[in-house]
Amino acid sequence: MSAYIVYQDQLPGLFRLWAKIYKVHVPVQTAPGFYDFAPWEPGGEVAWDYDLTVNPLKRFLLPPREDLVVFDARDYTAKGVFEAPQQLLFGVHPYDLRAVAQLDQLMEHGSPDKNYRRRRDNTVIFAMEPLRIAPDAFWSTMGAGRADIGFDLYWTKIGPATFFVEVGTARGEELLLAGGEVERASAAHHEAARRTREATRRHADAHGLKFPWQELARVMAKAWDDSIWREKSSMCLACGSCNLVCPTCYCFDIREEMDETMTRGRRWRQWDACMLPSFALVAGGHNFRAKHLERYRHRYFRKGKYIFDMIGEPGCVGCGRCIKACTARIANPLTVFNRLWEEYA
């Protein structure tokens, strides 16, 4: 894998070049202790040391609300809507990269989601090694501390103003060299990057699962009737925040509406959340998961077993967003998984 050295004073020029082709989004601080991805602006400050963004990246690939079809009731015609802007996401941490890779698999599963696929094809991802670990994060023990695929470039800060940049795709290398010649990484630079990543991993490993994540589905299979579901769900407010901030939740609802003339209409989708009481409500008024307990348990089985059974990895990357977002402090996969391990290992 090719690697280069980029100095921080080269970046403004590169950002300007990339912004001519793509909508460039970078991590920024939005309030003390809070970060999010926002459009890059000349002179704007990039939050190189962010620990976690409030919102996941899925909104760039699966927008919260998206038109799918427009139709005309007068001549019974319909046309698909595909909006796929050219976009570049700079500074994506490996656990979010792993979440995108998981969405790539799930959205291809069964009937491929063409809207997602077109957005994904038009998205360049420049990953970045984390410099700080969020207090609730446990991604390192969920197998999401390092991603070998899914990025165009992978940036590791090895000095105060020096980046070691690994090439993931030809598209990434072309964008890196768009401004002219870039220094090739030496053996010493490779060693510096390795040491940086090892230090990050040692820090991240200090907080996490007490068992190999590969055992999670087996443990979950024994836990259907465990008391933890009633204990935790009794405090659930059914707000759905854990679903909305989760980088791997991808459920959506589809609706249709006519315009005021009742001649033209559109079909659109918006994010849905399995923790909301309406999620499993069907025609006739029956609700397959009417109780808090049923919804809470379903979410953890989805993350710990159902997704695992489909693609061989858990549907949780350990980012810790749900822990931070939950006002009742019950959305904590780490606590739940570790307790179940102690009971059923």
Side-chain angles (χ1 to χ4, degrees):
M1 184 178 290
S2 301
Y4 295 86
I5 294 299
V6 175
Y7 299 98
Q8 196 151 337
D9 59 5
Q10 295 176 276
L11 281 170
L14 286 172
F15 278 126
R16 281 194 291 273
L17 286 173
W18 299 336
K20 291 179 180 178
I21 308 170
Y22 299 96
K23 292 181 178 178
V24 179
H25 299 270
V26 298
V28 300
Q29 181 169 275
T30 56
F34 291 89
Y35 304 91
D36 206 354
F37 277 84
W40 173 80
E41 297 177 353
E45 188 170 345
V46 177
W48 301 106
D49 64 343
Y50 83 96
D51 56 359
L52 181 71
T53 58
V54 172
N55 295 300
L57 296 176
K58 64 183 179 183
R59 70 186 190 275
F60 294 107
L61 306 171
L62 180 67
R65 180 166 172 155
E66 178 180 35
D67 283 349
L68 300 177
V69 175
V70 292
F71 53 88
D72 193 320
R74 294 168 299 184
D75 55 9
Y76 305 105
T77 58
K79 183 172 65 175
V81 179
F82 298 100
E83 295 181 0
Q86 297 268 1
Q87 52 191 356
L88 188 158
L89 308 179
F90 183 95
V92 176
H93 284 171
Y95 50 86
D96 275 337
L97 193 59
R98 180 61 65 91
V100 171
Q102 189 171 117
L103 289 178
D104 288 349
Q105 296 179 71
L106 294 168
M107 300 305 270
E108 288 283 345
H109 192 77
S111 179
D113 189 305
K114 294 182 179 178
N115 291 72
Y116 176 91
R117 191 67 256 170
R118 292 195 186 195
R119 285 181 180 272
R120 184 68 180 90
D121 289 342
N122 283 350
T123 301
V124 174
I125 295 182
F126 289 175
M128 186 169 69
E129 187 72 8
L131 296 176
R132 290 194 299 122
I133 314 296
D136 294 321
F138 55 102
W139 41 262
S140 186
T141 58
M142 292 296 285
R146 174 68 182 173
D148 297 320
I149 58 171
F151 61 85
D152 294 280
L153 295 175
Y154 197 106
W155 298 63
T156 302
K157 197 170 187 181
I158 60 173
T162 307
F163 294 90
F164 176 83
V165 185
E166 296 171 82
V167 173
T169 66
R171 179 172 61 173
E173 187 168 35
E174 183 179 342
L175 287 168
L176 183 64
L177 302 178
E181 192 172 340
V182 178
E183 178 183 345
R184 286 272 184 178
S186 66
H189 292 133
H190 279 269
E191 177 60 17
R194 186 191 65 77
R195 288 199 303 268
T196 298
R197 289 195 290 266
E198 279 194 1
T200 301
R201 217 64 69 231
R202 281 196 301 273
H203 186 194
D205 283 346
H207 178 70
L209 283 184
K210 298 177 180 176
F211 59 98
W213 62 264
Q214 292 87 345
E215 294 289 329
L216 184 56
R218 183 180 65 80
V219 171
M220 293 296 295
K222 301 177 181 178
W224 182 260
D225 294 319
D226 195 273
S227 62
I228 196 171
W229 312 125
R230 184 175 303 281
E231 173 191 326
K232 298 287 186 183
S233 66
S234 65
M235 296 180 282
C236 180
L237 303 174
C239 66
S241 296
C242 54
N243 295 120
L244 299 181
V245 300
C246 177
T248 63
C249 277
Y250 61 96
C251 289
F252 53 83
D253 196 12
I254 293 182
R255 303 192 178 200
E256 292 181 350
E257 64 183 9
M258 301 292 292
D259 66 8
E260 65 277 8
T261 68
M262 297 300 286
T263 57
R264 290 182 291 270
R266 63 197 179 103
R267 176 179 298 171
W268 46 274
R269 67 179 173 187
Q270 66 179 16
W271 290 356
D272 204 347
C274 62
M275 293 300 288
L276 299 180
S278 61
F279 184 82
L281 180 66
V282 298
H286 180 70
N287 195 328
F288 287 94
R289 287 189 289 275
K291 299 178 181 177
H292 286 72
L293 183 153
E294 295 165 331
R295 295 194 294 275
Y296 187 85
R297 179 175 56 192
H298 171 80
R299 173 168 165 73
Y300 282 89
F301 267 76
R302 181 81 175 168
K303 296 300 174 189
K305 187 175 190 310
Y306 302 154
I307 296 293
F308 190 100
D309 291 344
M310 291 170 64
I311 62 173
E313 59 186 67
C316 171
V317 295
C319 65
R321 286 188 177 92
C322 58
I323 302 173
K324 192 171 184 176
C326 180
T327 55
R329 305 301 291 171
I330 57 168
N332 192 324
L334 182 60
T335 299
V336 172
F337 293 154
N338 277 339
R339 177 167 152 182
L340 295 179
W341 170 255
E342 291 173 358
E343 295 179 12
Y344 299 106

